[in-house]
Every structure is written in structure tokens, then in C-alpha cells.
Amino acid sequence: MSNTVDGVIAELERMLRDPVWNQEHPAGSNHTAAGAEYGMNDVPWCDEGQSHAEKVAGDPAEHYASTVLDVADGRRRGIFIEGRLGGQRGDKLYIWGDKRGPHQPQHVERIKQVLADGDYLCIGCNVSDSIRYTRRQANILGFKRVPRDHETAPI
């Protein structure tokens, strides 16, 4: 792959086509290959799937199975962008929801494309029990900006 961003997106798309990675076994169980990799099966696996794709693509960042820890890391390192605007291809997009409230992440997806109307085309793990493309515009907590090949993230 030409860079880490393209590599992560390519791996997510490969996982989307692979029934071993793209489905819960059994359906509705949160039991997945990503969960097995992290030793945390039967729990929500959106960040586990993203972290697996990062590792395969050679992303040197810390890998998390928890959206709360992932966002805390981004804030600590100064690579988390608060709010709905400003996402770029390859960023992790965090969604808040009713379970944790408007300031805590509940779900994460990867931005594949910023659309002309400002919405985001994303690839998300654990979306209706599988990996899917989504269109996001609301309930966005913020973005974790992954370093591009020519950049070094703060530690």
C-alpha cells in the first residue's frame, strides 16, 4: 500500500469481504475473530476490528479494544479533534450515544471518504453485527487523526 491510511482502509475492506472477520459467530453474540485476537470475545468489537486493520497495515500506533481508552489516548497525545467538522480520509470517527452520553465515545468507524455535502462515508466494525459501510453526519464526538507516512505522532 502507498501509505498507512490506504493500508488500513484496504484491510478493513478485505475484512468486510471475509466471512471469518465480517460476522459474529453466532449472530448477535459479539463473538468474533477480532475479539479472539484481543482475548475479549463477547464484548462490542468496533475498536478491536479497527485495531486489527491498523496492525496489519503496519500502523505503529497503540492499538485499543476500547473506544474510551482510544479517545483518551488521542486527547493525551493531542491527535484528537473534537466536534463534527474536520474529519479526513483515514481518521477514526467516534460516535456518542445514549449509553454513555454526549462526551464519551460509544462507537468508532474509519473515514473512507469525505462526501461533497460534508457527510462521512465510513467503514465500521460491529455495525448490525458485521462490518459495513455507513454514512455518518450526526452524534459525532470527534476524530483521531492517524499520522500519515511522512508524519510522526506525538507520544
Side-chain angles (χ1 to χ4, degrees), residues 1-133:
M1 290 290 111
S2 62
N3 64 42
T4 305
V5 168
D6 290 340
V8 172
I9 291 170
E11 177 59 16
L12 285 167
E13 289 180 322
R14 186 204 65 76
M15 291 165 61
L16 184 136
R17 295 184 302 274
D18 183 341
V20 171
W21 282 97
N22 190 26
Q23 296 176 2
E24 295 179 359
H25 305 280
S29 68
N30 278 328
H31 193 91
T32 65
E37 181 175 304
Y38 280 87
M40 294 180 61
N41 250 322
D42 307 317
V43 299
W45 53 282
C46 58
D47 220 347
E48 294 169 349
Q50 297 288 335
S51 290
H52 171 78
E54 291 167 357
K55 285 195 308 189
V56 168
D59 184 340
E62 292 292 323
H63 304 288
Y64 292 93
S66 161
T67 56
V68 173
L69 294 176
D70 203 359
V71 167
D73 171 70
R75 286 177 171 150
R76 179 186 62 78
R77 294 171 52 210
I79 59 173
F80 188 80
I81 299 138
E82 303 280 347
R84 178 197 186 295
L85 302 175
Q88 296 179 3
R89 176 179 164 81
D91 286 354
K92 288 173 108 174
L93 179 148
Y94 294 87
I95 298 165
W96 61 268
D98 295 336
K99 291 181 184 176
R100 295 188 183 142
H103 302 291
Q104 291 295 320
Q106 182 173 314
H107 182 68
V108 61
E109 297 182 358
R110 182 80 50 174
I111 298 174
K112 178 177 174 153
Q113 180 181 357
V114 180
L115 302 174
D117 63 2
D119 288 0
Y120 301 98
L121 175 64
C122 298
I123 305 171
C125 300
N126 200 18
V127 177
S128 300
D129 301 335
S130 64
I131 301 172
R132 296 177 187 245
Y133 291 103

